[in-house]
Amino acid sequence: MEEAIAGRLKALKEKYAASGQELLDFLDGLLEADYLTYWDYIRLDSLLSLQQPRTSHHDEPIFIMYHQITELYFKLVLHELEPLLTSSANQEVVTEAIRRSNRYFGALEHSFGVMVDGMDREQFLRFRMALIPASGFQSGQYRMIELASAKLNDLVHIDNREKLANELDTEVLMNHIYWLRGATIEKDGQKTLTLVQFEQKYGEEFLKRAKRSQGHTISEQAARWHAEGSLSDALKQELRAFDQYVNVLWPLQHYRSAVRYLAKQPSDARATGGTNWQKYLPPRFQKRIFFPYLWSQQEVDDWGKSFVDRYVSSV
Ligand code: HEM
């Protein structure tokens, strides 16, 4: 028998013996097993069966698939951010994770034309009526990215942010989280059905995550390095770019699609989730900022007004 094969067999025998297993049984299993195929490995048939339109409009699958693509990118971002919340990661590790996350958000920002220009407006306006009250507002992963990145106090609605700047109770802070305002009917304070359903599905999970990551969010970790003067230029640059991608550039592209399809409708308020989206979606009104200590007062004042600092050149 070839020396290399004999060596591997010996190593395998030791591996299985260590857990009380017989190598021979595993070799028999190997003889029976089929070759792995591409389509089985990536679960292609399942993936391609996940598009289930509610109407027969040609463009509805585009809408479904682009949302699914976006959720997969969100999952990639969370795949990078979540390990940072539990371990005491060093700056190089955080820099690489945020660099990857920026690459994913960059892909989303650049591909948003699939929504903005890629569907027939008349068809969109028809098939969306079959989707009420579902809305991208209910994307749990989008909020999980925010909860992992920002200090919870910085996700409080801008009207109460200053007042609750030093509040430590996560439940109090979650009761003032910015997105409630986007799905609450202004005149009577009632929650929209979109929000009620969203809270039923994710409310507990969000609170659990907020509690778990308090003090360890990306922002709070970086703030400590910033305060002690050790925050590297490379990490600072990636964090600023991330803040721009998540809180300005992606929201602006997203807002463009709302304007293209929903503006000048008899009633703009009839967004699928029922928000007054004209007031809610523009980043300049919300001023969501993950890393406020990395921006000058002028930059904060100008937040979301244009594609300022597009390439985040000054660190
Ligand atoms: C034609 C395309 C789109 C239009 C017209 C649109 C419209 C809207 C509107 C009007 C809202 C406000 C909530 C509501 O009343 O429904 C909203 C929220 C939201 N949508 Fe979209 N959307 C589009 C595509 C997408 C895509 C592809 C995603 C990806 C997951 C997405 C994710 C979100 C998120 C995360 C929010 C909450 C934003 C926030 O709270 O600031 N949307 N969308």
Side-chain angles (χ1 to χ4, degrees), residues 60-79:
E60 193 189 341
I62 304 171
F63 190 66
I64 295 175
M65 280 185 265
Y66 190 72
H67 277 81
Q68 292 177 336
I69 289 165
T70 304
E71 290 292 345
L72 284 176
Y73 272 110
F74 287 169
K75 188 168 179 182
L76 281 171
V77 173
L78 285 169
H79 185 66

Side-chain angles (χ1 to χ4, degrees), residues 63 66-67 70-71 74 112 115 119 124 135-137 139 142-143 178-179 250 254 257-258 261-262 271-275 277 280-281 286 288:
F63 190 66
Y66 190 72
H67 277 81
T70 304
E71 290 292 345
F74 287 169
F112 218 95
M115 292 286 92
M119 294 182 295
F124 174 82
S135 164
F137 178 93
S139 167
Y142 186 79
R143 313 301 182 189
Y178 78 86
W179 65 69
W250 188 87
H254 175 255
S257 63
Y261 296 101
L262 303 178
T272 42
T275 58
W277 60 271
Y280 176 68
L281 289 180
Q286 299 224 20
R288 271 139 51 184

Side-chain angles (χ1 to χ4, degrees), residues 161-224:
R161 206 173 292 161
E162 217 178 302
K163 199 173 79 193
L164 295 177
N166 298 315
E167 177 62 58
L168 289 174
D169 188 327
T170 40
E171 286 187 42
V172 172
L173 293 169
M174 286 303 282
N175 284 336
H176 288 87
I177 200 94
Y178 78 86
W179 65 69
L180 299 176
R181 205 66 79 87
T184 304
I185 295 157
E186 243 170 25
K187 59 176 185 316
D188 59 9
Q190 288 270 331
K191 293 180 179 182
T192 62
L193 180 56
T194 304
L195 177 58
V196 171
Q197 290 179 335
F198 185 52
E199 288 183 334
Q200 271 165 7
K201 166 116 178 112
Y202 291 111
E204 274 181 34
E205 170 72 18
F206 289 158
L207 192 59
K208 209 167 73 193
R209 281 173 178 257
K211 284 188 173 151
R212 203 172 52 210
S213 55
Q214 195 171 33
H216 309 285
T217 59
I218 313 295
S219 175
E220 285 159 290
Q221 294 183 43
R224 286 193 280 274

Side-chain angles (χ1 to χ4, degrees), residues 67-176:
H67 277 81
Q68 292 177 336
I69 289 165
T70 304
E71 290 292 345
L72 284 176
Y73 272 110
F74 287 169
K75 188 168 179 182
L76 281 171
V77 173
L78 285 169
H79 185 66
E80 292 304 319
L81 300 187
E82 274 168 1
L84 305 180
L85 305 178
T86 48
S87 71
S88 44
N90 66 37
Q91 290 202 38
E92 282 75 38
V93 172
V94 179
T95 306
E96 181 55 23
I98 303 295
R99 186 177 292 129
R100 290 180 184 187
S101 302
N102 284 332
R103 203 171 283 126
Y104 305 141
F105 262 97
L108 288 176
E109 190 216 344
H110 291 298
S111 61
F112 218 95
V114 173
M115 292 286 92
V116 182
D117 304 309
M119 294 182 295
D120 178 81
R121 188 166 177 272
E122 295 314 309
Q123 282 189 41
F124 174 82
L125 290 175
R126 282 162 162 263
F127 71 70
R128 65 186 278 275
M129 298 316 289
L131 314 180
I132 291 170
S135 164
F137 178 93
Q138 295 172 319
S139 167
Q141 291 201 107
Y142 186 79
R143 313 301 182 189
M144 288 171 198
I145 291 171
E146 297 181 303
L147 292 173
S149 306
K151 187 177 176 188
L152 193 53
N153 307 63
D154 293 327
L155 295 177
V156 162
H157 190 272
I158 185 137
D159 290 351
N160 291 313
R161 206 173 292 161
E162 217 178 302
K163 199 173 79 193
L164 295 177
N166 298 315
E167 177 62 58
L168 289 174
D169 188 327
T170 40
E171 286 187 42
V172 172
L173 293 169
M174 286 303 282
N175 284 336
H176 288 87

